[in-house]
Each structure stands twice: as structure tokens, then as C-alpha cells.
Amino acid sequence: MKNQSLLVLSLLMLFVSFQVQAQDPTVPLNEPNYNKPRLFNALPERIVIGSEKLLQLIATPSGESAKITYDNGQPGEIDGEVVSQVSKYNQTLQSVVIRCTGFDGARLTLSKIILPDGTTTYTGRIISLQHGDLYQLNLEDTGWVLVKRNFYDLINE
């Protein structure tokens, strides 16, 4: 009798182990939505911003308004409000986040980094997660330039 119950228990465990699946083989993947609306259609492909303007934006305290005017003679500006301003590591890293008021959901994130050799570099972008385009800050021969890019060139889902 004892051997029969052990046999039944073993068969039951074997049956359960064949039926249980550890992972779902049909994992849903997020497909990119290439039909997101464009937010920056009215703006130029490239916006030149001077180093002085970047320094001014980095130094703007939280709650204050900020304005980005184009340095290459193009008419226009981007207005916003500073929602966060941080300085760390003896001011070798300074960051600011600006909510762009004219562009629904867009945020400008800008960071100033002082490298150990004393040189200063910037990184930043204007991005909205609901839209299909963004601006990325790049250093070019003419200086610091916001370059328009597609959302999925930068973000992978």
C-alpha cells in the first residue's frame, strides 16, 4: 500500500511538471509607433545656441522663466519654466530641466560637465514622449547646435 501511494504521488508530480511552464513563449513586444505627431514642424532643422546662452540656462534657478533665442539670425525663441536645477560634485556637474510652455509635454534637459582636464562640455535634448521628433544638442564647427531628430532614432522600445 505504501509503495502504491508513493507511485501515485510520483506520477502526479511528473504530470504536474509536464504541464507547468516557467516562461510564456509569447512575450509581447512594444512596436514603435512611427505615426506619432510631430511637435517641432514649425521650427528649423538646426538651432544654433551660443555657449553664453547655455551657461545662462544652467544658472537659472528653479521656478524662474527661461528663454532660448536662436543665435544664427533665425527668428524665434523657445520659452519655458525651470522645474529642476541641480549642481553636484563641486559644481563639476550642473543640470537643469525646463518645461517648454509653447510645446505641449516637451522638456529641455541640459547638463554642463567639467571634465578632469578642465574642459567644459554640454549635453542636452528637447523631448516629448508623446511626439515623434526631438532636438539633440551637438557640438559642431559652428558651436553648440540643437539638431532635429526622429524620436525612434534615439529611443528604443
Side-chain angles (χ1 to χ4, degrees):
M1 184 75 176
K2 189 174 185 180
N3 289 338
Q4 287 179 350
S5 63
L6 185 59
L7 179 64
V8 170
L9 182 62
S10 299
L11 288 175
L12 181 65
M13 293 298 283
L14 185 63
F15 177 74
V16 169
S17 67
F18 282 129
Q19 296 300 319
V20 174
Q21 294 180 354
Q23 297 176 349
D24 186 10
T26 58
V27 175
L29 297 175
N30 289 337
E31 291 295 323
N33 180 7
Y34 294 111
N35 296 323
K36 285 184 175 184
R38 303 292 176 166
L39 184 62
F40 303 113
N41 278 341
L43 296 180
E45 292 293 316
R46 300 164 40 84
I47 300 172
V48 177
I49 298 181
S51 297
E52 313 82 40
K53 186 61 181 176
L54 293 174
L55 280 172
Q56 182 183 2
L57 289 171
I58 290 286
T60 307
S62 293
E64 302 250 338
S65 64
K67 190 176 291 191
I68 303 168
T69 54
Y70 312 154
D71 280 355
N72 54 345
Q74 299 166 324
E77 60 190 18
I78 300 173
D79 294 330
E81 177 188 350
V82 176
V83 292
S84 173
Q85 196 255 358
V86 177
S87 178
K88 290 189 170 193
Y89 312 116
N90 294 329
Q91 297 203 1
T92 58
L93 173 64
Q94 295 175 317
S95 294
V96 66
V97 178
I98 300 172
R99 182 185 318 124
C100 300
T101 54
F103 301 99
D104 185 35
R107 303 282 189 269
L108 165 65
T109 58
L110 180 64
S111 295
K112 172 187 165 188
I113 304 160
I114 300 174
L115 300 174
D117 64 358
T119 59
T120 301
T121 186
Y122 295 93
T123 181
R125 62 182 55 103
I126 303 175
I127 189 168
S128 170
L129 299 177
Q130 295 86 21
H131 296 89
D133 56 350
L134 59 93
Y135 276 100
Q136 185 172 12
L137 186 65
N138 294 332
L139 179 61
E140 297 183 355
D141 294 338
T142 58
W144 292 100
V145 180
L146 285 169
V147 179
K148 192 184 293 188
R149 298 196 47 199
N150 290 322
F151 183 81
Y152 290 108
D153 290 346
L154 187 67
I155 305 295
N156 292 325
E157 285 192 83

